[in-house]
Amino acid sequence: MNRYRTLFISDVHLGTPGCQAAFLLDFLRYNDAETIYLIGDIIDGWRLKKSWYWPQEHNDVLQKLLKKARKGCRVIYVPGNHDEAGRQFAGMSFGRIRIRHEDIHVLADGRRLWVTHGDLFDGVMQYARWLAYLGDWLYSVILVANRWFNRLRLRLGYPYWSLSQYLKHSVKNAVSFISSFETMMAHETRRRGCDGVVCGHIHKAEIKMIDGVLYCNDGDWVESLTAMVEHFDGRLEIVHWNEITSSAAVQEPQLLITKVSVNIERALESAE
């Protein structure tokens, strides 16, 4: 069991076929912290309004988080755009999970981080919501195609490859949007008098300095399978759980290759 001062997780999208709940459940079993931040889009209310999809693994993730909270872990939930209904309960607690519009997290070394999902500073969400819904639909289509493609890659012995991540990093407009979002978050963080920001929303894990402000994005659990951790000395790190499980499989092949393969197959099958 790895023990950290803080875990930052966002963009899980429980309630959708694309959610990699099996991998997140493994991550929560082998990693613990004094504080866990759930930074938006944990449950995908947009998709659940259209059709109900809730396999047992998605329920297991929530039960695991509730269990950690009961055992004394400080769990703070900051809703995002896909679970925006939770914002009306800001200031309340459910099952010892505290709900906040946003929060300020003080690292072990004293730096102050503003914690927010990030959608409120996305121009598309604020001024062209219909375009956000269209983008969400197109993203779902890409994920379906990607799942079939990766099922074939898995059977041929190749690792997971993300089509949507490739498109994000290759298409000029997408790269420009990500850069603008990051810069805007950094400027707003400085205006608030904080040393840095932790957000999600754009599904791109990153820790970097932007004009003297620490910008942190913990990624997602749809494709990149990433979280951010704070060590007890205040050091921050992005954890790529798919790479860790693959590395562990090399050390204990007969046990762990089977485990990783089964998890990937279960995730792909539950998505159909």
Side-chain angles (χ1 to χ4, degrees), residues 32-81:
D32 206 358
E34 294 176 352
T35 301
I36 297 177
Y37 276 100
L38 305 173
I39 314 178
D41 289 1
I42 304 303
I43 298 174
D44 197 320
W46 288 11
R47 205 63 54 80
L48 288 173
K49 285 181 181 178
K50 297 176 183 177
S51 61
W52 187 257
Y53 178 83
W54 197 266
Q56 183 60 44
E57 285 176 344
H58 292 207
N59 199 58
D60 292 342
V61 168
L62 291 184
Q63 290 299 323
K64 189 65 175 178
L65 290 167
L66 288 166
K67 183 177 180 181
K68 285 181 179 291
R70 287 196 301 270
K71 288 187 172 183
C73 176
R74 181 169 169 260
V75 182
I76 300 174
Y77 184 8
V78 178
N81 50 302

Side-chain angles (χ1 to χ4, degrees), residues 4 10 22 31 36 40 53-54 57 60 122 156 174 177 180 191-192 196 209 216 226 229 231 245:
Y4 301 101
S10 76
N31 297 275
I36 297 177
Y53 178 83
W54 197 266
E57 285 176 344
D60 292 342
D122 176 352
L156 293 175
F177 167 78
S180 297
R191 190 186 71 81
R192 291 167 177 257
M209 297 299 294
C216 306
T226 55
V229 302
H231 295 272
T245 52

Side-chain angles (χ1 to χ4, degrees), residues 85-179:
R87 287 174 171 155
Q88 64 186 305
F89 302 109
M92 302 175 66
S93 297
F94 292 91
R96 298 187 182 179
I97 294 178
R98 309 171 191 183
I99 302 177
R100 302 284 187 270
H101 276 301
E102 57 185 23
D103 203 31
I104 300 295
H105 176 70
V106 181
L107 295 171
D109 57 17
R111 287 176 295 171
R112 298 173 71 251
L113 301 183
W114 171 41
V115 182
T116 180
H117 180 64
D119 63 296
L120 297 178
F121 300 88
D122 176 352
V124 174
M125 277 299 305
Q126 297 306 306
Y127 304 110
R129 198 174 180 86
W130 66 270
L131 190 58
Y133 284 112
L134 176 60
D136 181 61
W137 177 79
L138 290 173
Y139 182 59
S140 299
V141 171
I142 291 172
L143 287 179
V144 170
N146 204 46
R147 282 195 293 274
W148 283 103
F149 178 65
N150 275 289
R151 170 166 287 185
L152 177 61
R153 285 177 63 89
L154 177 66
R155 290 176 177 171
L156 293 175
Y158 293 103
Y160 181 86
W161 181 81
S162 171
L163 174 60
S164 72
Q165 290 291 330
Y166 172 77
L167 291 174
K168 281 182 185 178
H169 299 160
S170 301
V171 177
K172 183 177 179 180
N173 288 341
V175 173
S176 177
F177 167 78
I178 291 172
S179 178

Side-chain angles (χ1 to χ4, degrees), residues 186 189-190 194-196 208-215:
T189 300
R190 181 186 292 105
C194 293
D195 300 298
K208 63 182 179 182
M209 297 299 294
I210 301 178
D211 296 332
V213 173
L214 180 63
Y215 170 86

